[in-house]
Amino acid sequence: MTNHLKLADSYLRLSDEEKKYGNESESITNQREIIRDYCKKQGIIIVSEFVDDGYSGGNFERPGFQAMLNHLAAGKANTVITKDLSRLGRDMTESSYYAERFFPEHGIHYLAPGNDFDSMGDNLMAPFQFAMNDVYLRDTSRKVKQTLDMKRKKGKYAACPPYGYRKAERTTDQLVPDENTAPVVQRIFALAAEGQSCRSIAKQLNEDGICPPLKYRVEFRDNFTDRGAARASDFWNYTTVKRILRNRVYLGHTILGKTRKVNVKSKKKLPVPQENWAITENTHEPLVTQQQFDLAEHFLSENTKANAANPSFRHSIFGGIAYCAHCGAAVCSGGSVYKGERKKYWYLVCNNLTNRTINRCQHGARIKYEDLLEIVRCDLNALLSFDEAEIEQITQEAIRQANASLGVENKEQTLADIETKSKRIIKMIERAYRDNAAGNLSDDLLDEMMERFGKERQALEEQRQKLLTDTSEDQSIRNAYTLFFDIAKRYSHIEKLDRDILHTFIERIEIGEKILPKGQKIASPRTSYRQSIRIFYRFIGEMNGEAIREVNKAVNF
């Protein structure tokens, strides 16, 4: 039985960085030999081996590691062995959690012979070992940044190749034209140089069935997860065309460093000011000439420049943030001019309402620009006014709701109940074996009872594991709220909402249909109406509360 025998899952991990630096002592082969030799001497049976080759120790969302957790949850092993603590992971908090809490709480014996770590021992040096692995992670990140900076300065393309290019064979940093997509890019520039609009170009590409950039990567070039692949659209749109027309990489120049990570442990990226981009000219074969690029830019910017010179032109700050809740299309500026008034009749309208669109929106979002400005400004000022106690309260509420969605209101009490039920089942098993030994219980009935008890124990253990795993999710929620309100503390009150403030705090706004007063068929500018406006904030998502809001109603903060 697994309670007496040491049945082990061996876990091996090697990051790409360690592989590049040629650290043979950390190789998968070396780890495997050390673990097998150790298990042979200690009388430990290796049940399964799980490998993550090419995965950073900075996070634990690795396929091999997650597969091992599932294997352990099924009760197929009671021991985990890694060569040393760094193979488990290099993030100090997460590694310590799994080694000193998660495994012991789940009855799993964890061993890391390279560091003399035994989860059943005292492990006085463990905090320092976890800390040093974290330092290594940061140092490696620093070295990688230095290497990338050096490549950028030399004009090497150390990033994912853009549409129209691929990486040259036997290299990882030299762009060459992609024979499948380079002609598409050249066609886009040729059409733009003739004066055709981005929308018209996108329509022609869709009519010809040409695969758009992200879909091309999913289908023919890069490895995407199912979730990532689902984001790829089958259709071109004017934004994709515009992005290509403004990318100077097609002139043969390398342009990198447009974004940066928040820190070594975060996947979130922030935009970098253009003056700080790494630009190296004439590093690869161009797809278009400077004349074609300039001509396309001229027609692309012609209307924009003319409108920009007009002081009454409507410049929305909600571009890339506000969307129609019905069809998902972006909202764009619209409206009319009456008695010289433009701002008064400025609306944001679903961009999928015109007859030019393939699938016309049947509802279509529409809201007065000034109304949306005021709603968002008031919402933000309400958040900025929260004190520490209120911030803690809404953080706790977010955690509670996350747990409630799992059907758990009091996690500690539920864990205690599971422990009580598990102990009761163990006592019933012991009693059944004693009755069988005394001749009071038949072998067939014993087998039937053991099968039933086994299923109950497994169900309880799966529930317990999920609750304990969700503890880390609770911390993630808390970290997100802390980050958001740390940024919010830089502001005291927002008098005028601008695009910088909007992008700092808000990820997305979804505008739904209007709900008119009973008996009213159209929204009057003099009366209030209700409308669904969902605001999704950066890091924390949608705040708890009513999405249906009063519009055209004065709100003072």
Side-chain angles (χ1 to χ4, degrees), residues 172-220:
T172 59
D173 48 30
Q174 179 62 44
L175 292 181
V176 294
D178 185 332
E179 56 275 12
N180 296 317
T181 56
V184 180
V185 172
Q186 292 167 332
R187 176 184 174 184
I188 289 172
F189 274 94
L191 292 172
E194 293 173 1
Q196 295 200 33
S197 68
C198 293
R199 193 182 299 277
S200 172
I201 295 171
K203 183 179 180 181
Q204 292 180 55
L205 296 175
N206 286 327
E207 289 174 348
D208 293 345
I210 294 174
C211 191
L214 185 57
K215 192 71 173 182
Y216 180 80
R217 288 180 58 192
V218 170
E219 297 288 345
F220 304 107

Side-chain angles (χ1 to χ4, degrees), residues 78-204:
N78 55 24
T79 304
V80 170
I81 302 179
T82 61
K83 172 180 169 286
D84 52 44
L85 292 174
S86 68
R87 298 307 92 201
L88 178 66
R90 292 195 180 276
D91 182 278
M92 179 170 59
T93 304
E94 293 276 9
S95 299
S96 174
Y97 165 71
Y98 278 103
E100 300 187 295
R101 285 188 55 194
F102 182 86
F103 289 141
E105 288 176 357
H106 286 75
I108 305 298
H109 188 187
Y110 173 62
L111 297 165
N115 293 119
D116 293 325
F117 184 93
D118 185 332
S119 61
M120 292 184 178
D122 292 332
N123 303 307
L124 296 178
M125 295 300 295
F128 301 100
Q129 292 164 336
F130 289 127
M132 289 307 300
N133 287 331
D134 200 290
V135 169
Y136 179 91
L137 175 68
R138 296 173 185 273
D139 186 54
T140 301
S141 176
R142 179 182 58 83
K143 291 177 180 177
V144 170
K145 287 180 180 178
Q146 289 177 340
T147 302
L148 289 176
D149 287 342
M150 180 182 68
K151 287 185 175 182
R152 289 168 180 168
K153 290 177 182 177
K154 292 182 178 180
K156 295 183 177 181
Y157 204 91
C160 177
Y163 187 77
Y165 286 104
R166 61 176 175 84
K167 294 291 181 72
E169 295 182 5
R170 295 185 294 277
T171 67
T172 59
D173 48 30
Q174 179 62 44
L175 292 181
V176 294
D178 185 332
E179 56 275 12
N180 296 317
T181 56
V184 180
V185 172
Q186 292 167 332
R187 176 184 174 184
I188 289 172
F189 274 94
L191 292 172
E194 293 173 1
Q196 295 200 33
S197 68
C198 293
R199 193 182 299 277
S200 172
I201 295 171
K203 183 179 180 181
Q204 292 180 55

Side-chain angles (χ1 to χ4, degrees), residues 228-448:
R231 295 172 45 239
S233 172
D234 293 323
F235 300 104
W236 288 80
N237 58 58
Y238 71 94
T239 303
T240 304
V241 174
K242 184 188 295 184
R243 189 178 296 119
I244 288 175
L245 291 173
R246 286 184 169 165
N247 194 345
R248 292 174 59 198
V249 72
Y250 299 115
L251 290 169
H253 309 326
T254 294
I255 304 172
L256 298 170
K258 295 181 180 180
T259 61
R260 64 174 180 82
K261 281 189 175 183
V262 175
N263 56 52
V264 65
K265 297 181 182 180
S266 173
K267 293 183 179 180
K268 184 174 179 62
K269 293 184 178 181
L270 299 176
V272 173
Q274 186 170 344
E275 59 268 20
N276 295 330
W277 291 357
I279 302 175
T280 310
E281 296 186 347
N282 305 319
T283 56
H284 52 268
E285 181 181 341
L287 297 185
V288 298
T289 65
Q290 185 70 54
Q291 182 180 4
Q292 288 175 308
F293 189 91
D294 291 343
L295 197 57
E297 177 67 20
H298 167 73
F299 286 114
L300 184 65
S301 304
E302 190 175 51
N303 290 334
T304 303
K305 290 177 180 177
N307 289 326
N310 185 348
S312 61
F313 182 69
R314 301 179 175 107
H315 296 279
S316 171
I317 67 172
F318 294 100
I321 289 181
Y323 296 87
C324 173
H326 302 288
C327 68
V331 295
C332 60
S333 292
S336 60
V337 180
Y338 181 68
K339 293 183 178 180
E341 285 277 3
R342 295 176 62 87
K343 193 173 182 180
K344 186 177 179 180
Y345 303 99
W346 180 3
Y347 288 85
L348 292 178
V349 186
C350 173
N351 201 30
N352 203 16
L353 287 176
T354 66
N355 293 325
R356 296 174 300 193
T357 56
I358 298 174
N359 298 310
R360 193 171 187 268
C361 183
Q362 298 302 311
H363 299 280
R366 177 184 171 88
I367 188 171
K368 194 174 180 181
Y369 184 76
E370 287 294 315
D371 288 341
L372 185 59
L373 274 178
E374 186 64 10
I375 287 169
V376 174
R377 188 186 73 86
C378 291
D379 256 39
L380 276 174
N381 279 330
L383 293 178
L384 298 182
S385 67
F386 287 166
D387 57 26
E388 294 294 338
E390 289 172 313
I391 293 172
E392 177 61 24
Q393 183 179 353
I394 65 170
T395 303
Q396 290 285 2
E397 178 61 19
I399 293 173
R400 188 197 66 76
Q401 290 205 2
N403 290 331
S405 66
L406 300 172
V408 179
E409 290 292 340
N410 190 325
K411 188 176 296 184
E412 289 73 18
Q413 183 59 49
T414 305
L415 285 169
D417 292 342
I418 290 173
E419 185 67 23
T420 301
K421 291 177 183 177
S422 298
K423 289 179 179 178
R424 186 169 64 248
I425 291 174
I426 292 173
K427 289 181 180 179
M428 294 171 70
I429 292 173
E430 293 173 350
R431 187 182 304 118
Y433 273 113
R434 286 198 300 268
D435 290 346
N436 176 260
N440 298 325
L441 188 67
S442 68
D443 291 343
D444 290 342
L445 188 54
L446 176 66
D447 292 341
E448 182 181 332

Side-chain angles (χ1 to χ4, degrees), residues 11-15 31 52 55-57 62 86-87 90:
Y11 178 71
L12 322 174
R13 183 190 65 79
L14 184 69
S15 70
Q31 293 177 52
D52 281 319
Y55 286 86
S56 168
R62 314 173 211 133
S86 68
R87 298 307 92 201
R90 292 195 180 276

